C-alpha cells in the first residue's frame, strides 16, 4: 500500500518545480510527504475521507507548473482510485497494512464501540447495516 505513494511520486517527480529560495523542506520532499499522508489517511480513515484524489491534488498542485496540472491530477486520481478499490474489496487489507483490528463503526446501545467485523464497503458490521443506509440518505439530502 505504501508503495502507492512512491509510485505516484515517481510518476510525477520529473515535473516538480525547482525550489524557490524560501527555506523549508525541498519541493520534492513536500510532494512525497503529501502523497504518503494521503495514502495513509485513505488506509486508516477511508470512510471519512470524502475526496482523496481532489484533496491530494490540491495539496501538491502548487509544486507543479501549469502545463503539468492535468497530468498530475490524472496520475493522482488513477492511483488513489486504485487504492480505494483495493481497500474496499479486501476486508483484511487494512488490518494487514496497519496492524489495527477493524471494528464496526457503530456504537452499541450500552454506549461502547461495536467490536464485530465490519463489511468492507461501508465499515459497519452486518447487524449495523441500517446505519449505512441512513448515512446515504443524509448525504443525498445534504
Ligand atoms: Zn456493528
Amino acid at each position: 500500500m505504501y508503495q502507492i505513494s512512491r509510485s505516484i511520486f515517481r510518476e510525477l517527480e520529473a515535473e516538480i518545480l525547482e525550489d524557490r529560495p524560501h527555506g523549508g523542506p525541498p519541493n520534492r520532499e513536500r510532494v512525497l510527504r503529501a502523497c504518503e499522508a494521503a495514502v495513509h489517511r485513505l488506509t486508516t480513515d477511508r470512510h471519512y475521507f470524502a475526496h482523496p484524489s481532489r484533496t491530494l491534488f490540491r495539496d501538491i498542485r502548487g509544486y507543479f507548473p501549469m502545463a503539468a496540472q492535468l497530468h498530475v491530477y490524472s496520475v493522482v486520481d488513477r492511483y488513489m482510485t486504485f487504492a480505494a478499490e483495493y481497500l474496499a474489496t479486501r476486508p483484511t487489507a487494512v488490518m494487514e497494512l496497519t496492524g489495527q483490528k477493524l471494528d464496526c463503526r457503530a456504537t452499541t446501545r450500552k454506549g461502547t464501540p461495536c467490536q464485530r467485523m465490519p463489511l468492507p464497503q461501508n465499515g459497519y458490521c452486518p447487524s449495523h447495516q441500517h446505519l449505512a443506509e441512513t448515512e446515504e440518505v443524509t448525504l443525498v439530502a445534504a
Side-chain angles (χ1 to χ4, degrees), residues 104-106 114-116 124-128:
C104 170
R105 297 156 68 199
C114 173
Q115 303 206 329
R116 278 183 287 259
Y124 289 109
C125 76
S127 22
H128 283 121

Side-chain angles (χ1 to χ4, degrees), residues 44-98:
T44 54
D45 194 25
R46 180 163 54 92
H47 300 292
Y48 297 101
F49 195 2
H51 303 289
S53 302
R54 261 190 273 164
T55 303
L56 176 54
F57 178 62
R58 207 181 47 217
D59 287 350
I60 65 173
R61 63 180 302 175
Y63 304 116
F64 295 89
M66 216 39 153
Q69 301 281 313
L70 200 62
H71 179 234
V72 171
Y73 184 79
S74 75
V75 170
V76 164
D77 192 42
R78 177 153 42 91
Y79 281 104
M80 293 304 270
T81 303
F82 170 80
E85 279 168 10
Y86 179 91
L87 294 171
T89 53
R90 288 166 184 77
T92 56
V94 174
M95 197 161 64
E96 284 160 14
L97 290 162
T98 60

Side-chain angles (χ1 to χ4, degrees), residues 11-26:
E11 281 213 29
L12 298 176
E13 200 177 4
E15 290 174 290
I16 296 172
L17 288 168
E18 292 294 318
D19 286 291
R20 300 197 187 92
H22 54 41

Side-chain angles (χ1 to χ4, degrees), residues 5-6 9 16 27-37:
S5 46
R6 295 248 154 216
F9 180 73
I16 296 172
N27 287 350
R28 294 161 51 86
E29 195 184 320
R30 288 170 197 248
V31 171
L32 179 61
R33 295 287 163 261
C35 293
E36 283 172 351

